[in-house]
Amino acid sequence: GSPAPQVEDTGKPSPKSELAYPPKSLSSGRSGPLVTFQQPSPLTTFSYDSKRELRFDDSALRYYVDPPHGADLRYGYERWVKRPEEKGRLDGLLKAWLRVRDGFPEGFMNGGVIAWRGVMTRILTAPYEEREGWHLNVMCVNGTLYLEEHVSDAKLLEKEDLTPHHRLQSYYGYSFESFCTAGTPHAKPGWGGDVDTNVQWCSVVRTKLGNTRLVIGGEVDCVRGKLTKTNDTLVELKTSLTIRNQLDESRFEKKLLKFYFQSFLLGVPEIVVGFRSPAGKLGTIQSFQTMQIPRMVRGKPGSWDPSICLGWGERFLAFVKEAVQGDVRSAAAKEEEAPVVWRVDFKPRVGVSIIQLGPEAVEEVQAGSDRYGFLPRWYWEEQLH
Ligand code: A3P
Ligand code: MG
Ligand code: MG
């Protein structure tokens, strides 16, 4: 064991409980039993429309088409309807979970975790993350852990305030999505319609990492052919700079770690990468089978090993559970009390720490909206009976 986490009143870290960065040499990182990851089972899907309203249908689902050769990814940039940056709220995922949870036994998610796929990707790829730190808010309700990315107001402004260069680079990815998709199957190649990043199609799955059940949701870019009950036609779209030399190649292989886990977590079997020039001209297209990616990078310089990530992920979740396990009161017992919210901080090359937030920090998390901690009040009330 780690020491009991302290309560922090100022919102500034005065640690805390800590988990050190995992070793990555093959001998040490791979010792111990391999952690299993269960094949994700689809639970439901939903769509956000252009007004950002959530609907439990597939109206935002897109169909894959081969993009036109040499397409200009700057096309339509002036008409981009950009979704404002937002905090990592779980609302949509919780709505989805409420619709399906009656199909499971009582207490099914006891000891389980509910989070967006992006948060799980960050957690699992942390052993190889050397630059970008991250922060999570965590709550435990009736034995289930809820994880959301903590985005401070300052961070939100910073994300909104992209340089024109970064904004354009980000647009290339969305424009590639438009060139690769259509609203109907078997459409002709070409522009798939102006980009509106409010519109998204999401898949919610359940799976298991080691012994921990997970309910995760995330955006899926399109399907090849048609949507099936097993999610085996889902496709993730990505852009990347054309590979010209060894250095580019090893950079790309590093990026494949994120591509891999992002898709793996939702059970998306195919990733289509569009290679582009710095100026946004589309070059070759390459399709990757998600499950083959680890084998492709194995043994290469700067390669990565997914079993290290899964092992770390399991230890990370055990660590967070241990820290919050003092908080075992039922939702009903908590009703009259202030919400208990925890903050996990990840520092590249160092590891993670967790503290319990004091009242001021909890208030910042709630952000004045109708919430209990970061959970929407309507979801919280569902947990009381
Ligand atoms: P590419 O990654 O293909 O360039 P996703 O690939 O997850 O479906 O995201 C679609 C696009 O959103 C990305 O396309 C990228 O352009 C943009 N995007 C995603 N995450 C981003 C981030 N953290 N910062 C900037 N742009 C991002
Ligand atoms: Mg996407
Ligand atoms: Mg994509």
Side-chain angles (χ1 to χ4, degrees):
S2 31
Q6 297 166 2
V7 177
E8 176 52 52
D9 275 326
T10 61
K12 292 224 175 69
S14 89
K16 66 215 161 181
S17 188
E18 297 190 352
L19 177 67
Y21 219 45
K24 282 181 296 299
S25 70
L26 285 183
S27 53
S28 47
R30 267 184 154 177
S31 64
L34 287 184
V35 172
T36 57
F37 186 86
Q38 191 181 73
Q39 171 70 27
S41 321
L43 289 177
T44 187
T45 57
F46 60 85
S47 299
Y48 290 109
D49 67 13
S50 57
K51 296 191 192 102
R52 204 57 194 162
E53 268 157 35
L54 188 157
R55 299 210 301 246
F56 284 96
D57 63 25
D58 297 319
S59 50
L61 176 64
R62 307 281 300 171
Y63 297 86
Y64 181 81
V65 285
D66 282 320
H69 185 74
D72 174 11
L73 298 179
R74 265 177 314 194
Y75 183 78
Y77 181 54
E78 322 71 51
R79 297 186 300 280
W80 179 15
V81 178
K82 189 174 174 299
R83 170 165 56 100
E85 294 293 335
E86 45 190 47
K87 296 193 179 240
R89 297 306 188 200
L90 289 174
D91 298 29
L93 180 57
L94 298 178
K95 246 180 219 165
W97 171 238
L98 281 190
R99 283 170 67 96
V100 300
R101 67 156 185 191
D102 287 346
F104 297 98
E106 176 114 11
F108 180 75
M109 284 303 284
N110 217 313
V113 171
I114 300 185
W116 288 115
R117 178 265 314 274
V119 163
M120 291 309 302
T121 306
R122 281 191 186 277
I123 293 169
L124 291 178
T125 58
Y128 295 99
E129 180 57 60
E130 291 171 342
R131 286 184 316 202
E132 234 188 306
W134 42 257
H135 312 281
L136 305 180
N137 298 321
V138 179
M139 287 173 71
C140 178
V141 182
N142 294 343
T144 302
L145 283 185
Y146 298 85
L147 312 181
E148 71 158 22
E149 178 153 16
H150 172 65
V151 184
S152 67
D153 293 335
K155 181 79 190 171
L156 211 53
L157 287 175
E158 192 186 304
K159 283 172 96 175
E160 197 62 69
D161 191 29
L162 284 185
T163 63
H165 173 75
H166 279 122
R167 212 181 141 94
L168 181 60
Q169 300 273 311
S170 169
Y171 180 74
Y172 290 157
Y174 295 119
S175 142
F176 178 64
E177 291 180 357
S178 180
F179 278 120
C180 284
T181 65
T184 55
H186 317 299
K188 283 212 191 98
W191 183 241
D194 289 347
V195 177
D196 178 346
T197 40
N198 289 294
V199 180
Q200 288 181 301
W201 183 73
C202 296
S203 169
V204 180
V205 302
R206 72 178 173 96
T207 181
K208 247 171 131 180
L209 174 64
N211 291 319
T212 303
R213 284 190 199 286
L214 309 173
V215 167
I216 44 190
E219 186 190 21
V220 178
D221 292 331
C222 60
V223 294
R224 194 183 275 278
K226 64 179 199 306
L227 184 60
T228 66
K229 285 194 177 1
T230 57
N231 274 4
D232 64 349
T233 55
L234 303 189
V235 179
E236 169 62 41
L237 302 170
K238 288 287 178 196
T239 59
S240 199
L241 282 173
T242 300
I243 297 169
R244 295 149 310 176
N245 53 43
Q246 283 281 289
L247 182 62
D248 289 350
E249 184 171 335
S250 75
R251 279 199 192 117
F252 177 70
E253 284 166 356
K254 272 195 112 151
K255 276 167 73 176
L256 281 177
L257 169 66
K258 284 186 184 162
F259 294 5
Y260 170 75
F261 272 111
Q262 179 184 12
S263 292
F264 174 83
L265 281 163
L266 286 184
V268 174
E270 181 183 4
I271 305 173
V272 172
V273 179
F275 291 97
R276 65 166 178 84
S277 74
K281 187 172 154 61
L282 190 57
T284 35
I285 305 297
Q286 196 178 345
S287 164
F288 296 87
Q289 299 298 308
T290 306
M291 298 313 284
Q292 301 298 326
I293 290 176
R295 217 173 55 188
M296 289 175 45
V297 302
R298 196 177 297 158
K300 300 262 188 97
S303 74
W304 43 268
D305 179 346
S307 66
I308 286 178
C309 298
L310 294 177
W312 156 263
E314 190 190 42
R315 289 196 303 283
F316 174 92
L317 294 179
F319 163 78
V320 173
K321 282 185 207 177
E322 189 186 319
V324 307
Q325 81 188 1
D327 189 24
V328 291
R329 296 159 306 144
S330 67
K334 288 176 184 172
E335 190 180 17
E336 299 304 315
E337 298 171 37
V340 173
V341 180
W342 305 79
R343 169 75 41 78
V344 173
D345 293 302
F346 166 70
K347 256 207 193 106
R349 301 169 191 264
V350 178
V352 293
S353 60
I354 184 166
I355 54 168
Q356 189 187 325
L357 295 180
E360 282 168 30
V362 171
E363 222 157 272
E364 198 213 322
V365 165
Q366 285 192 160
S369 44
D370 197 13
R371 289 177 189 277
Y372 184 84
F374 57 78
L375 299 175
R377 178 78 43 193
W378 50 260
Y379 184 80
W380 168 253
E381 264 147 27
E382 281 289 325
Q383 306 306 304
L384 296 174
H385 38 77

